[in-house]
Amino acid sequence: MVDVTEDFLAKARTYLGEEGKRVRNYFCCGLQDFSPEPGSYDVIWIQWVIGHLTDQHLAEFLRRCKHALRPNGLIVIKDNMAQEGVILDDVDSSVCRELEVVRRIVHMAGLSLLAEERQENLPEEIYPVYSLALR
């Protein structure tokens, strides 16, 4: 598990309880600096965080994740997607990218898009949420 805030990692350990024993490592750093161990993961799950990375940092992180997969491993991104373009959030300085922009970054990282799915039954006033399976 990776987070930039040690307090969030501590809360995650508490929240997960016994299930937290399945988490091998807790890393306190930004994803732009994180290098997962090559050949170590069946699944790398990236949820609601890509907007905090620049396009370049995201592509570089995804490349490192690709090398961290075991054979037939998957990378899953679950995140909000803008209807059009890239939208800056003035509150936390993150961005929300449209799906096509994310697809281009995935391609730049040397990954293939295996599947994508839009989450159903969400309120219309929020950004659409997509899950992307990559290898």
Side-chain angles (χ1 to χ4, degrees), residues 48-65:
W48 285 312
V49 70
I50 65 171
H52 294 281
L53 297 171
T54 65
D55 291 359
Q56 181 179 343
H57 284 157
L58 178 54
E60 290 168 358
F61 173 64
L62 290 173
R63 279 187 209 104
R64 292 191 303 273
C65 287

Side-chain angles (χ1 to χ4, degrees), residues 63-74:
R63 279 187 209 104
R64 292 191 303 273
C65 287
K66 179 181 179 181
H67 294 296
L69 293 176
R70 291 184 179 136
N72 298 313
L74 290 174

Side-chain angles (χ1 to χ4, degrees), residues 116-134:
E116 76 180 38
E117 181 175 285
R118 182 176 175 164
Q119 190 166 332
E120 300 292 327
N121 302 317
L122 293 175
E124 288 296 317
E125 61 271 10
I126 68 170
Y127 292 118
V129 175
Y130 278 85
S131 295
L132 311 175
L134 317 170

Side-chain angles (χ1 to χ4, degrees), residues 18 26-27 62 65 68 77 83 87 95 99 135:
E18 285 297 311
Y26 292 82
F27 299 98
L62 290 173
C65 287
I77 294 175
Q83 297 287 356
I87 301 168
V95 295
L99 186 56
R135 178 174 298 134

